[in-house]
Amino acid sequence: MSERVINVTNAKQKLLAVIGPTAVGKTAMSIALAKRMDGEIISGDSMQVYKGMDIGTAKIKKTEMDGIPHYMLDIKDPSEDFSAAEFQELARGCIQEISAKGKLPIIAGGTGLYIQSVLYDYEFTETASDEVFRRQKEEDLQRFGEAFLHEELTLKDPVSAARIHPNNVRRVIRALEIFHCTGSTMTEFLEKQKKVLQYDAALIGLTADRELLYERINKRVDHMMEEGLLDEVSRLYESGLKGVQSIQAIGYKELYRYLDGTVPLQEAVQELKQNSRRYAKRQLTWFRNKMDVEWFDMTPPVNTAEKEAEIFTYAAGKLKL
């Protein structure tokens, strides 16, 4: 396998994607496939890029990597923004780098838009700009405040508004500017684009019985708390980090409410579990509706070794390895 040479100029590069909802087993499966297929792994999680946000993002530990190189981890400070457009650029660079070594790039994660942006020929609206409009919004900010601008975004682009903290005024204004310039939200803009795969790709989806998955999620949250999630979030809170993109991640925003004195700790943990379950449901809906995925059921009493072999056989055949 290591002697395989990929022509990165005249042929589509080969790429394996391992996707699915949180807590379904993507990390373990991606490592098993990387060992079988001489691969290296790119994290497809929008929050694992942040340094110091390890427990809450279920970031893989060095000891768990089993010698497999991982990319797109710990590349941003929690104070920095990160977008699907930036992820697309960086991840494609990683794919190029891994392919040039004769290895198989494997992107593993659950952030649908980010993974989709890499796989397909999406063009983002970074060029959509109107300086006059932007200055007008900055004046509105001074006159009426952050809540006013965020409410305007909620009316025009509720999906972005739900994702962007009202205090993150730069991103609020940018989302309003995109809508002003294109007449579409970011999601609508991407939906209008033709989906042309940029790689010779095999898309592996892992799923499981929903009730079992929810039970796993609840247990994972309990384990995170035992591992020190509250201490991890407290360090970020005490550093003065507020109103930024990273803190809107599930596992952090809920415990921030506790640290703010808004809710008791037990209630914050229950919110964390509920939000994680809802996120898993949204992930499954996204992948099923928007991507051509071959699904594999991981519901116990599944034989993990047999399932791994089944997935390997499918992926190797699909990629003609």
Side-chain angles (χ1 to χ4, degrees):
M1 190 70 66
S2 61
E3 295 179 358
R4 173 169 50 84
V5 176
I6 300 176
N7 185 328
V8 296
T9 55
N10 297 324
K12 284 185 177 180
Q13 292 161 280
K14 295 185 185 295
L15 175 67
L16 175 63
V18 180
I19 59 181
T22 186
V24 78
K26 299 183 294 294
T27 298
M29 183 59 70
S30 64
I31 290 174
L33 292 172
K35 293 168 72 174
R36 277 180 176 255
M37 306 177 78
D38 195 20
E40 297 183 354
I41 297 171
I42 302 164
S43 169
D45 186 289
S46 63
M47 291 297 160
Q48 291 183 357
V49 298
Y50 288 113
K51 301 171 187 175
M53 296 177 62
D54 303 327
I55 299 172
T57 64
K59 191 181 298 175
I60 189 170
K61 300 180 178 71
K62 290 283 186 184
T63 54
E64 297 170 336
M65 292 181 183
D66 210 0
I68 303 297
H70 281 64
Y71 299 74
M72 299 293 286
L73 300 173
D74 299 323
I75 61 172
K76 288 280 185 178
D77 288 321
S79 59
E80 297 180 277
D81 284 346
F82 192 61
S83 67
E86 187 174 0
F87 180 85
Q88 180 192 65
E89 179 183 0
L90 294 176
R92 286 180 174 175
C94 293
I95 292 169
Q96 184 80 10
E97 178 182 342
I98 296 167
S99 296
K101 292 192 288 184
K103 304 284 187 178
L104 176 67
I106 301 173
I107 186 167
T111 306
L113 175 61
Y114 280 42
I115 294 174
Q116 202 175 10
S117 76
V118 174
L119 292 171
Y120 298 96
D121 189 23
Y122 278 178
E123 295 180 6
F124 290 91
T125 56
E126 296 303 314
T127 56
S129 64
D130 184 333
E131 189 174 344
V132 173
F133 176 85
R134 195 160 55 247
R135 284 202 303 267
Q136 179 186 334
K137 292 296 110 181
E138 288 167 355
E139 290 174 5
D140 287 347
L141 171 65
Q142 296 301 319
R143 292 178 61 194
F144 306 115
E146 298 165 352
F148 175 85
L149 284 185
H150 196 263
E151 179 63 26
E152 181 180 352
L153 182 61
T154 300
L155 294 173
K156 294 178 177 177
D157 184 355
V159 174
S160 293
R163 188 173 60 244
I164 302 172
H165 194 281
N167 294 347
N168 197 342
V169 291
R170 190 177 70 82
R171 290 193 72 219
V172 170
I173 292 174
R174 178 58 186 150
L176 286 168
E177 184 181 19
I178 289 172
F179 186 85
H180 169 75
C181 293
T182 67
S184 302
T185 66
M186 175 65 79
T187 301
E188 290 169 343
F189 178 82
L190 294 178
E191 287 294 329
K192 293 174 185 176
Q193 298 188 44
K194 294 180 180 178
K195 294 180 183 177
V196 179
L197 271 172
Q198 297 302 287
Y199 301 94
D200 179 8
L203 277 56
I204 303 298
L206 304 183
T207 187
D209 173 78
R210 184 163 293 183
E211 290 306 314
L212 173 72
L213 188 63
Y214 288 171
E215 183 181 339
R216 280 184 185 171
I217 289 169
N218 290 339
K219 288 181 178 178
R220 172 184 273 193
V221 171
D222 289 336
H223 181 63
M224 286 177 172
M225 293 300 293
E226 291 167 4
E227 279 197 309
L229 177 58
L230 182 57
D231 290 338
E232 179 174 281
V233 178
S234 295
R235 284 194 294 272
L236 297 170
Y237 185 88
E238 289 165 6
S239 74
L241 195 69
K242 293 188 178 182
V244 295
Q245 178 181 349
S246 62
I247 301 306
Q248 295 312 298
I250 295 172
Y252 296 85
K253 62 182 179 182
E254 296 86 1
L255 293 182
Y256 256 58
R257 278 166 45 77
Y258 161 68
L259 293 169
D260 278 333
T262 307
V263 296
L265 179 58
Q266 185 176 0
E267 184 176 334
V269 171
Q270 290 305 313
E271 285 181 2
L272 169 49
K273 290 178 178 179
Q274 183 180 63
N275 288 338
S276 297
R277 295 192 300 268
R278 288 173 174 170
Y279 179 56
K281 183 178 180 181
R282 291 197 304 272
Q283 286 175 301
L284 279 168
T285 301
W286 178 286
F287 288 128
R288 290 191 187 282
N289 292 345
K290 299 179 184 293
M291 299 172 70
D292 185 16
V293 179
E294 187 73 17
W295 289 96
F296 294 86
D297 192 348
M298 303 300 293
T299 304
V302 67
N303 184 308
T304 304
E306 289 180 2
K307 188 66 67 170
E308 178 191 312
E310 180 186 349
I311 293 172
F312 166 74
T313 300
Y314 169 80
K318 178 76 172 176
L319 296 173
K320 299 180 175 61
L321 297 177

